[in-house]
């Protein structure tokens, strides 16, 4: 067991003896914010003291009297208002590293309480190219899915493709009247986008075109064979282009149901909400009001328009019901930009009303009943800010167009290729191309994951491709550099350093070891708060601590015992770097 878990368990036991009715789930041990005070810290006793009307420091003393962690820690200190500070014994650090070297763990443990988590991400719209806004959803969502899986949860990914909606009326008019077959063949999404732009402009000016678009949409909704055929073709062409991008990004989905999948459910859903009084008529439309929920008081949600049509909200409610029936998830995570915050607040609030109503209707609807008997399902909107150009305005091409994802990835690889060619002119071109692919795609992903996701960030090629600084290439090179140490240490087989004795004496060795030990805590925090940037910063610090260690502690030139011990540190650092980058969806190479 990892030392911080050991400390946590014993602390919980001690708390149980002193306060038998305390909620043990709140008794947690976290990394100490300042290494001066120790390796780990617990703030739990202060929180427990309050409701029990105890003096926190006195409670800390009582708990300490029952706490025995002498085998793992130096004497525990009480600090400030009642913090407990723990400093690991050197022997505990060594034991944890040795267990990792033997392959027992890589400083994280799979959860003992796996949850079923649906991640709804990427979700581009058919007949429109994927643009940089979708890149964040794709990269963030994929990363969260990876981290949750790594920690042992059952993750189901669903790409909620925008394959239905009023834009298809316009697209159908354009397709029938103005389609350029050759252009469609050459670049299907560009041609569909051209049609969409042309027709939406025309609809603004010409009521006859607008009417024609409405007619085509009605025909499509009514199941007209010709319109359905064209619509399906548009989806297939778009999906093929999306798939090319997903393959380049290494992103996979378990499901791509798309909005249209839920069409058959919409009428009954709306009727049920109306019959239960959750939705009511307003000016010919059907609306859910949230008068009882303060922030949504003046923000009712439309679920059926006055022309009888359904919308994005209706579809999302049906999607939720379907997911609940099909997978009974413990949590659903939606990854979109911040402009959809209101939409998801409404969806979650409407769904809660719907679901709580179902508790009364025992067994009438098995899906909703099962939800009622399970602990509350968690719904999370994980939103992010915009990508800005270096001028601080929304990121655009020189000519003012939105940047297409495919072009962006091409440019990333091209720029990385130039850099690699300068650095490594002797490498064969195919080798340089491969390094450029891994570095270019990795740089784009990392630049997207590193900032706090809710802030806007400035897109800068120079920054993201820099070899120095908090970037993917820096971490990828750090990994490759360690691999080159092992190549130089020919004859040092894995077997040897897996069983070597570990000694930690130099402060740089100890600092590196401590950082390694925290990998799991960082993964858990990133998953709990949906913040991949925690992992980025952790890996960056790890690479920095490794560099300091490598500068001050000779490895290959050290005497036999230190050499073996230090090679273990090298190996574990490389493995954590690789696993951490993999959790971010970023590849690395043995040689660069
Ligand atoms: N297609 C939408 C867009 O491009 C995103 C869908 C997000 N998922 C959802 N269940 N609403 O903005």
């Amino acid at each position: 067991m990892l030392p911080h878990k050991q400390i946590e368990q014993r602390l919980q036991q001690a708390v149980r003896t002193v306060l038998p009715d305390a909620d043990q789930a709140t008794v947690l041990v976290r990394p100490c914010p300042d290494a001066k005070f120790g390796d780990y810290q617990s703030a739990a006793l202060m929180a427990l003291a309050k409701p029990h009307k105890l003096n926190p420091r006195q409670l800390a003393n009582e708990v300490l009297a029952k706490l025995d962690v002498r085998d793992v820690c130096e004497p525990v200190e009480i600090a400030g208002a009642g913090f407990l500070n723990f400093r690991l014994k050197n022997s505990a650090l060594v034991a944890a590293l040795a267990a990792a070297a033997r392959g027992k763990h890589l400083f994280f443990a799979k959860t003992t309480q796996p949850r079923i988590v649906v991640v709804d991400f990427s979700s581009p719209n058919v007949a429109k190219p994927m643009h940089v806004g979708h890149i964040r959803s794709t990269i963030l969502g994929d990363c969260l899915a990876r981290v949750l899986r790594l920690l042992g949860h059952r993750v189901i990914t669903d790409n909620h493709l925008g394959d239905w909606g009023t834009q298809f009326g316009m697209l159908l008019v354009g397709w029938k009247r103005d389609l350029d077959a050759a252009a469609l063949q050459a670049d299907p999404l560009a041609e569909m986008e051209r049609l969409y732009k042309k027709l939406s402009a025309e609809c603004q000016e010409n009521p006859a075109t607008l009417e024609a678009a409405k007619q085509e949409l009605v025909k499509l909704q009514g199941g007209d064979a010709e319109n359905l055929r064209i619509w399906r073709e548009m989806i297939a062409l778009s999906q093929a282009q999306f798939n090319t991008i997903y393959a380049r990004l290494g992103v996979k989905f378990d499901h791509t149901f798309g909005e249209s999948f839920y069409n058959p459910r919409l009428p009954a859903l709306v009727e049920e909400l109306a019959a239960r009084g959750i939705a009511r008529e307003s000016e010919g439309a059907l609306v859910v009001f949230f008068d009882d929920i303060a922030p949504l008081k003046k923000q009712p949600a439309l679920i059926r328009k006055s022309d009888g049509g359904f919308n994005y909200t209706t579809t999302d409610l049906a999607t939720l019901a379907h997911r609940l029936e099909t997978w009974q998830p413990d949590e659903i995570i939606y990854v979109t930009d911040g402009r959809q915050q209101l939409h998801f607040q409404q969806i979650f609030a409407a769904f809660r009303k719907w679901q709580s109503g179902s508790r009364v209707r025992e067994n009438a609807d098995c899906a909703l009943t099962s939800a009622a008997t399970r602990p509350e399902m968690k719904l999370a909107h994980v939103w992010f800010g915009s990508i800005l150009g270096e001028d601080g305005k929304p990121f655009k091409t020189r000519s003012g167009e939105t940047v297409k994802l495919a072009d962006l990835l091409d440019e990333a690889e091209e720029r990385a290729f130039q850099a690699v060619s300068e650095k490594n002119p002797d490498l064969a071109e195919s080798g340089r191309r491969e390094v450029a692919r891994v570095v270019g795609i990795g740089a784009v992903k990392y630049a997207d994951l590193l900032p706090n996701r809710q802030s806007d960030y400035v897109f800068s090629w120079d920054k993201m491709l820099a070899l120095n600084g908090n970037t993917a290439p820096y971490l990828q090179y750090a990994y490759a550099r360690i691999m080159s140490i092992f190549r130089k240490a020919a004859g040092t087989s894995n077997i040897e350093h897996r069983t070597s004795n570990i000694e930690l004496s130099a402060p740089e060795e100890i600092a590196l070891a401590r950082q390694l030990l925290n990998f799991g805590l960082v993964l858990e925090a990133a998953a709990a708060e949906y913040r991949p940037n925690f992992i980025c910063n952790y890996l960056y610090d790890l690479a920095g601590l490794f560099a300091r260690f490598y500068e001050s502690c000779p490895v290959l030139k050290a005497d036999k015992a230190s050499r073996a011990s230090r090679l273990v540190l090298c190996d574990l650092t490389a493995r954590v770097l690789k696993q951490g980058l993999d959790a971010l969806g970023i590849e690395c190479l043995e040689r660069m």
Side-chain angles (χ1 to χ4, degrees):
M1 195 189 302
L2 287 159
H4 73 266
K5 286 276 173 212
Q6 239 167 331
I7 300 173
E8 198 169 83
Q9 276 193 2
R10 303 235 194 113
L11 181 62
Q12 289 173 353
Q13 276 163 14
V15 170
R16 201 171 300 132
T17 332
V18 179
L19 292 175
D21 61 335
D23 179 7
Q24 299 297 328
T26 64
V27 180
L28 299 173
V29 168
R30 291 287 167 259
C32 204
D34 188 341
K36 259 203 320 261
F37 303 120
D39 298 313
Y40 299 103
Q41 184 170 77
S42 180
L45 299 185
M46 293 179 298
L48 285 178
K50 223 183 189 174
H52 289 85
K53 298 203 168 60
L54 295 168
N55 172 324
R57 284 190 71 102
Q58 194 187 328
L59 174 63
N61 272 311
E62 281 174 41
V63 170
L64 262 197
K66 303 276 180 236
L67 178 67
D68 184 2
V69 285
R70 275 172 300 180
D71 51 336
V72 201
C73 299
E74 304 291 349
V76 183
E77 279 169 20
I78 302 175
F83 287 100
L84 294 183
N85 287 337
F86 304 89
R87 189 180 297 283
L88 288 183
K89 279 191 168 154
N90 197 298
S91 57
L93 266 175
V94 168
L97 293 183
R102 286 196 309 273
K104 289 254 181 253
H105 58 66
L106 193 58
F107 309 107
F108 66 92
K110 298 238 182 242
T111 176
T112 49
Q113 291 153 317
R115 290 180 298 129
I116 301 174
V117 186
V118 176
V119 189
D120 173 321
F121 72 104
S122 192
S123 313
N125 301 315
V126 165
K128 293 185 189 166
M130 247 181 156
H131 56 73
V132 293
H134 291 115
I135 196 180
R136 292 205 84 178
S137 174
T138 309
I139 293 173
L140 260 167
D142 180 54
C143 172
L144 295 175
R146 283 168 183 267
V147 176
L148 286 164
R149 258 189 209 125
L150 188 62
L151 291 173
H153 298 289
R154 183 174 162 226
V155 176
I156 299 163
T157 52
D158 185 7
N159 189 355
H160 193 68
L161 211 63
D163 63 356
W164 197 250
T166 47
Q167 78 265 32
F168 287 100
M170 294 186 272
L171 280 161
L172 281 161
V173 175
W175 185 283
K176 290 180 182 178
R177 201 186 67 190
D178 299 316
L179 186 69
D180 176 341
L184 186 74
Q185 183 126 47
D187 187 346
L189 276 186
E191 175 59 6
M192 287 189 274
E193 190 191 28
R194 183 187 71 83
L195 291 177
Y196 175 74
K197 280 195 179 151
K198 183 165 195 261
L199 267 293
S200 59
E202 220 183 290
C203 284
Q204 301 257 321
E205 276 153 29
N206 188 345
T209 313
L210 186 64
E211 188 48 39
K214 276 193 184 153
Q215 292 307 318
E216 293 294 358
L217 187 66
V218 170
K219 272 167 71 183
L220 175 67
Q221 289 166 338
D224 175 80
E226 164 80 352
N227 280 10
L228 276 175
R229 187 191 58 74
I230 298 173
W231 169 71
R232 285 200 189 102
E233 193 174 340
M234 290 193 247
I235 295 177
L237 289 170
S238 299
Q239 183 76 65
Q241 306 257 298
F242 298 151
N243 287 348
T244 319
I245 295 211
Y246 294 139
R248 288 180 78 177
L249 292 174
V251 172
K252 292 194 190 95
F253 296 92
D254 300 318
H255 303 283
T256 301
F257 287 121
E259 295 181 20
S260 66
F261 174 82
Y262 304 97
N263 284 346
R265 301 183 69 123
L266 304 183
L269 177 157
V270 166
E271 262 161 44
E272 186 185 338
L273 290 182
R276 285 226 233 124
I278 296 169
R280 53 178 206 262
E281 290 265 339
S282 170
E283 296 169 35
L286 202 66
V287 180
V288 181
F289 288 92
F290 304 104
D291 297 334
D292 46 337
I293 302 169
L296 292 176
K297 212 168 181 143
K298 292 205 168 73
Q299 309 276 10
L302 204 70
I303 59 166
R304 191 177 63 211
K305 296 183 278 183
S306 51
D307 66 5
F310 304 117
N311 62 10
Y312 188 48
T313 304
T314 333
T315 304
D316 255 325
L317 287 172
T319 308
L320 246 173
H322 174 262
R323 288 176 177 162
L324 194 55
E325 279 165 27
T326 317
W327 301 307
Q328 276 133 46
D330 299 290
E331 180 171 1
I332 304 180
I333 299 173
Y334 298 83
V335 189
T336 82
D337 75 43
R339 286 170 302 184
Q340 299 200 28
Q341 284 177 81
L342 175 62
H343 169 74
F344 284 105
Q345 283 164 15
Q346 292 175 327
I347 294 292
F348 298 170
F351 193 69
R352 295 276 177 235
K353 284 175 186 260
W354 185 13
Q355 191 180 318
S356 74
S358 77
R359 279 192 192 136
V360 190
R361 291 191 331 152
E362 271 180 357
N363 284 334
D365 180 327
C366 69
L368 294 170
T369 310
S370 76
T373 52
R374 285 170 70 90
E376 278 249 300
M377 174 175 64
K378 186 170 171 197
L379 297 171
H381 181 213
V382 173
W383 59 271
F384 50 83
S386 322
I387 306 182
L388 305 176
E390 295 200 71
D391 56 1
K393 300 204 181 108
F395 190 44
K396 292 269 159 70
T397 61
R398 284 220 179 125
S399 54
E401 304 274 306
T402 49
V403 180
K404 292 179 186 147
L405 195 42
D407 296 343
L408 186 98
L409 297 181
D410 288 345
E411 184 165 352
E413 289 190 29
E414 198 44 47
R415 283 177 183 257
F417 183 70
Q418 299 303 335
V420 172
S421 300
E422 259 167 50
K423 213 172 174 294
N424 259 336
D426 301 334
L427 202 65
E429 175 166 349
S430 62
R432 278 180 283 143
R433 289 271 169 222
E434 175 62 0
V435 175
R437 182 187 67 77
V438 171
V439 169
I441 304 285
V444 168
K445 286 191 175 188
Y446 195 85
D448 214 63
L449 294 170
L450 173 65
N452 173 337
R453 64 179 157 77
Q454 284 161 343
S455 34
D456 298 345
Y457 81 91
V458 173
F459 192 92
S460 157
W461 287 117
D462 292 339
K463 254 199 203 152
M464 74 178 72
L465 287 165
L467 286 180
N468 289 312
N470 196 349
T471 65
Y474 169 74
L475 296 174
Q476 291 166 323
Y477 270 102
Y479 175 79
R481 210 166 293 135
I482 302 179
M483 291 298 108
S484 81
I485 298 173
F486 282 100
R487 282 194 295 275
K488 279 192 210 131
T492 314
S493 67
N494 279 341
I495 317 296
E496 188 195 325
H497 67 256
R498 292 237 157 130
T499 51
S500 335
N501 277 328
I502 299 167
E503 23 177 278
L504 301 170
S505 45
E508 292 83 3
E509 291 175 308
I510 295 173
L512 179 60
R514 288 205 172 115
Q515 177 76 358
L516 286 169
L517 244 62
N518 283 343
F519 184 42
L521 281 166
V522 171
L523 290 174
E524 283 166 20
E529 296 184 37
Y530 318 111
R531 296 204 183 271
N533 54 323
F534 292 176
I535 303 174
C536 298
N537 287 320
Y538 168 83
L539 295 176
Y540 178 64
D541 290 342
L542 177 66
L545 289 167
F546 180 80
R548 246 159 279 152
F549 152 77
Y550 198 58
E551 260 162 41
S552 39
C553 305
V555 175
L556 297 179
K557 294 206 173 91
D559 63 71
K560 198 162 181 280
S562 312
R563 174 183 145 116
S565 167
R566 287 175 184 166
L567 279 171
V568 176
L569 281 175
C570 293
D571 178 49
L572 292 174
T573 305
R575 280 158 58 192
V576 170
L577 277 174
K578 187 176 180 151
Q579 182 78 78
L581 284 170
D582 185 69
L584 299 173
I586 296 174
E587 291 174 64
C588 49
L589 295 166
E590 309 291 295
R591 282 171 203 267
M592 286 175 71

